Amino acid sequence: MATTLARLTSKALNSTSLSPQNLILRRFLSVEAAKTITESPDRVKWDYRGQRKIIPLGQWVPKVAVDAYVAPNVVLAGQVTVYDGASVWSGSVLRGDLNKISVGFCSNVQERCVIHAAWSSPTGLPAETSIERFVTIGAYSLLRSCTIEPECIIGQHSILMEGSLVETHSILEAGSVVPPGRRIPSGELWAGNPARFVRALTHEETLEIPKLAVAINDLSSSHFSEFLPYSTVYLEVEKMKKFSMEGNKQLEDSETSSS
C-alpha cells in the first residue's frame, strides 16, 4: 500500500494540470497519509509556548534564591547564581556556560542586559563575572568576565570587558565602555568610550548608591508576587475576581428582591 501511494504521489504531483481527477487524487493521498502517521507513545511532549527560564548545562544548574526575583522571560544558563534579594529584570540573558556568574545580595540586573564569562581572562584576572551586593546594572548593559565590587552603579548601555574591575562606591555613566583589564578606583565617577575619570564622588552620592539598590528591590517585590515558578498566579487572581463579581451580583439581586 505504501509503495503504491508513493508511486501515485510522484506521478500526481509532477503533473502540471489541475484537473478534477488530480484534485480528488491529492485529497485522497492526504487523507491516507494522515491515517498512516501515528504518534509514538514514548515521544516527549514539550510545551513550546513559553521560553525556558532555567537552562541546565551538563552538571551545572542555575541557582536562584527563594526571595530573588527573576522575570519570566529571563534566561539563566549554566553556572549562574542569583543571591537573596537580587532581581533580574525582563529580557536579560545570563549565560554561564564557560564560567561562573553571580548576582549578589540586593543587586539588580535591569532590562535586556547580557552577562557572560570567558574561559580565561587575557589579563590574568579572574574570568568569572562577579556582581557583589547593592549593585545596580542599568538596562541594555553588556558584562563579560568582570568584577563589580559592593555598592556601585553601572549606567545603562555600558560595556565592561574581560578583566575589568569596578571598585566599591563607584559610578559608571550611561554608555561607558571599560576596556579589558581597566580598573575603576573606589569613590570615583567615570564616563566615556573608553571610560575616563570625571571626578570624585561626594559622601552624599556614595550614600545614595545602596539606597537605589534597596528601592529597586522593594519595587521587585510587587512584581514577584505576580509570578509563581510556573507563572500561573494570574489564573488564581482571575478566579478571585470572577467569584467576587458573582458574589456582588447575587448580593444586588437579593437586595432587589427583598425591596
Side-chain angles (χ1 to χ4, degrees):
M1 182 65 181
T3 306
T4 306
L5 285 175
R7 290 175 180 173
L8 290 173
T9 303
S10 61
K11 291 180 181 180
L13 296 180
N14 288 334
S15 63
T16 58
S17 62
L18 294 176
S19 62
Q21 293 81 2
N22 282 342
L23 293 175
I24 294 173
L25 182 59
R26 286 171 181 263
R27 189 177 302 169
F28 168 76
L29 291 175
S30 62
V31 172
E32 289 297 323
K35 291 180 180 178
T36 58
I37 298 174
T38 57
E39 184 176 345
S40 172
D42 298 328
R43 182 169 178 261
V44 179
K45 295 183 179 180
W46 294 100
D47 186 0
Y48 292 105
R49 292 174 297 174
Q51 177 178 290
R52 294 178 65 192
K53 181 164 67 174
I54 304 296
I55 302 178
L57 295 177
Q59 61 178 330
W60 306 109
V61 180
K63 300 177 182 178
V64 181
V66 175
D67 61 343
Y69 169 69
V70 178
N73 62 340
V74 167
V75 176
L76 306 179
Q79 307 175 64
V80 178
T81 304
V82 182
Y83 288 95
D84 303 82
S87 58
V88 184
W89 294 79
S90 303
S92 296
V93 178
L94 282 68
R95 182 166 58 86
D97 50 355
L98 301 180
N99 220 317
K100 297 178 182 179
I101 297 173
S102 61
V103 182
F105 172 76
C106 207
S107 292
N108 59 88
V109 178
Q110 297 179 13
E111 291 82 356
R112 303 286 181 180
C113 288
V114 177
I115 302 176
H116 53 107
W119 280 112
S120 60
S121 174
T123 61
L125 296 171
E128 64 184 60
T129 300
S130 176
I131 301 171
E132 299 193 21
R133 63 186 184 276
F134 297 107
V135 173
T136 297
I137 307 296
Y140 294 91
S141 294
L142 170 63
L143 280 65
R144 176 176 171 84
S145 296
C146 59
T147 300
I148 304 176
E149 293 186 350
E151 301 184 14
C152 293
I153 295 177
I154 307 300
Q156 60 185 4
H157 289 275
S158 294
I159 300 176
L160 280 73
M161 302 303 292
E162 295 93 335
S164 57
L165 170 64
V166 181
E167 295 185 349
T168 184
H169 297 148
S170 298
I171 296 178
L172 273 178
E173 288 282 4
S176 300
V177 178
V178 182
R182 180 67 57 86
R183 167 179 164 267
I184 308 299
S186 176
E188 294 183 358
L189 172 67
W190 285 53
N193 181 12
R196 294 182 175 85
F197 171 76
V198 177
R199 61 178 176 84
L201 296 176
T202 64
H203 179 65
E204 290 74 16
E205 288 174 329
T206 59
L207 293 178
E208 292 297 322
I209 295 175
K211 292 181 182 179
L212 175 61
V214 172
I216 295 176
N217 178 46
D218 294 340
L219 179 63
S220 68
S221 61
S222 62
H223 291 259
F224 184 84
S225 62
E226 279 296 316
F227 296 100
L228 291 175
Y230 298 99
S231 302
T232 57
V233 71
Y234 70 95
L235 297 175
E236 302 300 326
V237 174
E238 289 177 358
K239 288 181 182 178
M240 294 175 63
K241 289 180 179 179
K242 182 179 179 181
F243 293 151
S244 177
M245 292 176 64
E246 291 177 353
N248 293 335
K249 185 177 180 180
Q250 292 176 0
L251 182 61
E252 291 175 358
D253 293 340
S254 61
E255 291 177 353
T256 304
S257 59
S258 61
S259 60

